[in-house]
């Protein structure tokens, strides 16, 4: 079955604007039309236009410059980073990792995952949670969420470890292409279940690396929440997948 998810209006608008950047309609350094102009041109509400522009700014296509408005940056460049938990989560062979799968099932989509995947809040998604261990001690809890339609016809719903990365598996089975990843890192308190799985003492924070993997149009294909015992301030990184 072909993968098809109806994207929200703001995502479709962002995709259209992104296409115009890529085809040179809006060249790097130029100003994009104002919010009022976009509202009139596309017949969409101002909140929809604002969300589309924020999405493109988040992913590095646009930037706000005081006194100039919203400026085109162009196609985001690759950002090198020594430690990329997101790439690890997408590309690792589960069968070669020390640890175990603690959950593989369809679940109600978590609210923040719903907005990132562009699925309805009442939707169910496939959750795949891997507890990584080192020398017998848990060191990472990786929870990946996939739209049900994208996971259908793959081995992602199987309870046995994948013998290839999630990215490679989806690209081979569903004919999709991962293009870039955004990582949002923040410190938070774990749930009771998360703390128990990670064998953490009560009151200790975790480092949450929220990984959003998208295709070239900016549509999220999967969201992965990588939890590590840590305490750091939030940061964000976007890079191209080669």
């Amino acid at each position: 079955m072909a993968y098809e998810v109806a994207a929200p209006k703001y995502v479709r608008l962002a995709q259209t604007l992104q296409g115009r950047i890529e085809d040179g309609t809006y060249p790097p350094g130029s100003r994009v039309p104002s919010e009022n102009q976009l509202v009139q041109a596309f017949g969409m509400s101002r909140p929809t236009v604002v969300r589309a522009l924020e999405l493109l700014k988040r992913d590095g296509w646009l930037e706000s410059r005081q006194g100039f408005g919203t400026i085109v940056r162009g196609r985001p460049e690759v950002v090198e980073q020594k430690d990329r938990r997101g790439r690890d989560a997408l590309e690792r062979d589960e069968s070669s990792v020390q640890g175990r799968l603690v959950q593989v099932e369809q679940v109600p989509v978590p609210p923040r995952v719903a907005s990132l995947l562009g699925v309805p809040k009442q939707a169910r998604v496939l959750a795949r949670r891997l507890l990584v261990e080192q020398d017998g001690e848990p060191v990472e809890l990786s929870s990946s969420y996939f739209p049900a339609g994208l996971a259908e016809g793959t081995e992602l719903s199987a309870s046995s470890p994948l013998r290839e990365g999630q990215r490679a598996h989806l690209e081979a089975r569903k004919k999709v292409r991962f293009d870039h990843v955004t990582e949002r890192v923040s410190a938070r308190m774990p749930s009771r279940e998360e703390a128990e799985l990670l064998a953490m003492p009560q009151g200790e924070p975790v480092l949450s690396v929220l990984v959003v993997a998208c295709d070239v149009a900016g549509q999220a294909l999967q969201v992965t929440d990588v939890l590590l015992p840590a305490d750091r301030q939030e940061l964000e990184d976007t890079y191209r997948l080669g």
Side-chain angles (χ1 to χ4, degrees):
M1 177 181 294
Y3 167 49
E4 184 175 356
V5 174
K9 287 183 179 180
Y10 79 93
V11 173
R12 297 200 298 272
L13 176 57
Q15 292 170 347
T16 298
L17 296 177
Q18 181 179 313
R20 294 187 180 186
I21 294 172
E22 293 191 286
D23 68 16
T25 302
Y26 304 147
S30 67
R31 288 200 308 178
V32 298
S34 68
E35 292 177 9
N36 285 336
Q37 290 173 323
L38 291 173
V39 167
Q40 295 176 5
F42 292 95
M44 294 184 177
S45 67
R46 183 178 297 276
T48 297
V49 169
V50 170
R51 289 193 70 183
L53 294 175
E54 289 177 346
L55 180 61
L56 291 171
K57 291 174 186 177
R58 184 202 73 182
D59 288 345
W61 295 88
L62 303 175
E63 67 176 328
S64 295
R65 292 183 186 174
Q66 188 172 4
F68 291 91
T70 302
I71 306 299
V72 176
R73 295 181 62 186
R75 189 178 183 86
E77 297 293 332
V78 176
V79 178
E80 295 298 332
Q81 184 184 21
K82 292 182 179 180
D83 183 17
R84 288 209 178 111
R85 297 284 178 174
R87 183 181 291 275
D88 289 347
L90 294 173
E91 299 185 351
R92 64 183 163 204
D93 178 348
E94 292 177 352
S95 65
S96 65
V97 174
Q98 294 183 29
R100 57 191 173 89
L101 288 167
V102 295
Q103 182 184 35
V104 181
E105 63 179 326
Q106 287 199 16
V107 300
V109 61
R112 65 172 177 170
V113 174
S115 62
L116 293 170
L117 284 178
V119 300
K121 294 180 180 179
Q122 299 79 17
R124 295 180 69 83
V125 294
L126 177 69
R128 191 174 182 88
R129 306 182 78 188
L130 176 69
L131 183 66
V132 180
E133 299 176 340
Q134 191 172 66
D135 298 325
E137 296 293 331
V139 294
E140 175 187 322
L141 178 62
S142 177
S143 302
S144 295
Y145 302 93
F146 308 87
L150 180 59
E152 186 175 350
T154 72
E155 295 179 12
L156 291 171
S157 57
S159 58
S160 57
L162 285 178
R163 295 186 177 277
E164 61 184 339
Q166 295 170 353
R167 172 192 174 191
H169 187 72
L170 281 172
E171 288 185 334
R173 295 297 183 93
K174 305 299 288 191
K175 307 305 180 185
V176 295
R177 180 179 180 274
F178 286 67
D179 181 74
H180 63 277
V181 163
T182 296
E183 293 183 3
R184 303 175 187 178
V185 185
S186 60
R188 67 172 175 85
M189 299 305 296
S191 67
R192 178 179 298 180
E193 179 186 14
E194 291 167 345
E196 290 177 353
L197 288 170
L198 288 169
M200 294 179 60
Q202 186 175 2
E204 289 294 322
V206 291
L207 179 68
S208 169
V209 184
L210 191 64
V211 182
V212 185
C214 303
D215 61 16
V216 69
Q219 175 64 53
L221 300 174
Q222 79 176 74
V223 174
T224 300
D225 191 11
V226 181
L227 297 185
L228 309 147
D231 186 7
R232 291 172 57 185
Q233 294 184 352
E234 185 170 328
L235 57 88
E236 182 171 312
D237 178 29
T238 300
Y239 54 84
R240 188 80 39 206
L241 288 172

